[in-house]
């Protein structure tokens, strides 16, 4: 919730969520979008890696969400909506693909949501990089714009890692050891497995070693650790 709560902080203009896979980055983006519709209607642009993914998400995730939520449904102008342009009472939302310069152009927007940015095309056709093109659309709202960017990182020169390194404030998610309670971030060097094992057996027998008490942490400990974790600078 800290990631989404930051969207309401007037001192925060850009939120960068660098994450592992399947941890709710896209769902956080969808929740932020829902908040905008219900609480602060303003023109919004959501950018996905491809235009095909934008169409799929519109049909299978966003539009069902809009119809299921009473607060969003009453503002949703379903009859005026297109697959890549959603209409609401007081605002519109455009869904774009990083590989489609036309979908990133022309419309002024206040809120910008960038999903899985490390999968973006390096250039949107001949128009330049898609993130810069999308941010150009916010110039009309220079004093009260907001951007949410999320992705699983790939390389150190990837979009999300570079953005995170340039952030004014960085926080990491610390989780408690189930044995001693010591809060720590998880590091690859603390993953252990029996020596001289083949890859398949090593994966099955791997475990995590607490950096404080050397207690063995297994997969079954993960839900409790995540539930009691906290963000720290």
């Amino acid at each position: 919730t800290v990631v989404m709560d930051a969207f309401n902080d007037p001192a925060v203009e850009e939120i960068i969520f660098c994450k592992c896979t399947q941890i709710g980055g896209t769902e956080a983006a969808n929740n932020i979008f829902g908040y905008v519709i219900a609480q602060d209607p303003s023109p919004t642009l959501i950018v996905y890696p491809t235009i095909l993914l934008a169409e799929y998400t519109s049909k299978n995730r966003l539009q069902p969400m809009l119809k299921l939520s009473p607060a969003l449904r009453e503002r949703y102008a379903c009859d005026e909506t297109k697959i890549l342009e959603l209409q609401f009472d007081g605002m519109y939302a455009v869904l774009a693909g990083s590989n489609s310069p036309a979908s990133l152009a022309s419309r002024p927007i206040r809120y910008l949501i960038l999903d899985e940015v490390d999968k973006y095309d390096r250039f949107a056709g001949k128009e330049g990089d898609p993130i810069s093109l999308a941010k150009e659309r916010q110039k009309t709202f220079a004093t009260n714009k907001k951007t949410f960017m999320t992705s699983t990182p790939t390389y150190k020169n990837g979009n999300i890692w570079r953005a995170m390194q340039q952030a004014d404030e960085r926080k990491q998610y610390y989780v408690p050891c189930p044995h001693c309670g010591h809060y720590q971030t998880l590091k690859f060097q603390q993953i252990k497995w029996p020596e001289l094992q083949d890859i398949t057996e090593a994966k099955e027998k791997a475990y995590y070693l607490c950096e404080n008490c050397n207690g063995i942490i297994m997969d079954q400990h993960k839900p409790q650790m995540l539930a009691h974790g906290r963000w720290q600078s």
Side-chain angles (χ1 to χ4, degrees):
T1 60
V2 170
V3 173
M4 293 181 287
D5 288 344
F7 195 80
N8 288 326
D9 189 337
V12 176
E13 185 174 289
E14 186 167 5
I15 303 159
I16 298 139
F17 186 20
C18 182
K19 63 181 187 63
C20 61
T21 59
Q22 298 299 311
I23 203 169
T26 297
E27 201 58 42
N30 294 345
N31 291 342
I32 286 171
F33 179 45
Y35 169 84
V36 169
I37 298 166
Q39 300 294 331
D40 193 13
S42 298
T44 300
L45 173 63
I46 309 176
V47 185
Y48 299 95
T50 67
I51 200 75
L52 288 176
L53 183 57
E55 292 175 352
Y56 173 86
T57 305
S58 176
K59 293 177 183 177
N60 295 285
R61 297 191 70 171
L62 294 182
Q63 294 193 53
M65 176 185 79
L66 299 172
K67 293 172 182 177
L68 287 170
S69 167
L72 303 183
R73 186 171 60 243
E74 69 181 20
R75 289 186 171 273
Y76 180 39
C78 184
D79 293 340
E80 302 172 28
T81 285
K82 300 176 183 177
I83 294 176
L84 296 177
E85 188 168 315
L86 310 178
Q87 297 292 336
F88 304 90
D89 180 18
M91 66 169 283
Y92 62 82
V94 177
L95 312 185
S98 71
N99 61 340
S100 172
S103 68
L104 296 169
S106 301
R107 304 170 182 86
I109 53 106
R110 178 184 175 193
Y111 291 126
L112 174 60
I113 297 172
L114 303 163
D115 193 19
E116 288 298 343
V117 295
D118 270 26
K119 295 179 181 178
Y120 283 10
D121 281 8
R122 187 176 179 184
F123 299 104
K126 298 179 181 179
E127 305 295 326
D129 80 275
I131 294 176
S132 296
L133 286 176
K135 288 184 175 181
E136 281 290 311
R137 307 276 64 81
Q138 292 178 294
K139 283 188 172 180
T140 304
F141 298 90
T143 59
N144 61 352
K145 62 186 178 181
K146 202 173 287 279
T147 299
F148 176 76
M149 178 189 300
T150 184
S151 186
T152 300
T154 52
Y155 303 101
K156 285 188 175 181
N157 63 347
N159 290 320
I160 196 70
W161 195 260
R162 285 189 289 109
M164 183 188 70
Q165 293 300 315
Q166 294 166 7
D168 294 330
E169 181 181 359
R170 292 197 294 271
K171 292 186 177 183
Q172 291 182 292
Y173 197 65
Y174 284 71
V175 292
C177 170
H179 308 295
C180 69
H182 173 71
Y183 275 82
Q184 59 201 286
T185 58
L186 302 182
K187 304 174 180 68
F188 183 79
Q189 60 264 31
Q190 293 302 114
I191 300 175
K192 309 296 180 181
W193 57 86
E195 295 183 5
L196 304 177
Q197 302 291 331
D198 61 36
I199 293 176
T200 301
E201 194 167 1
K203 286 182 178 179
E204 292 176 352
K205 296 183 178 180
Y207 57 91
Y208 193 88
L209 206 62
C210 173
E211 65 184 22
N212 183 62
C213 71
N214 289 326
I216 294 176
I217 301 173
M218 305 299 291
D219 279 346
Q220 60 263 33
H221 294 122
K222 180 181 175 182
Q224 182 182 6
M225 293 170 67
L226 290 175
H228 292 88
R230 62 193 183 200
W231 292 93
Q232 295 179 198
S233 299

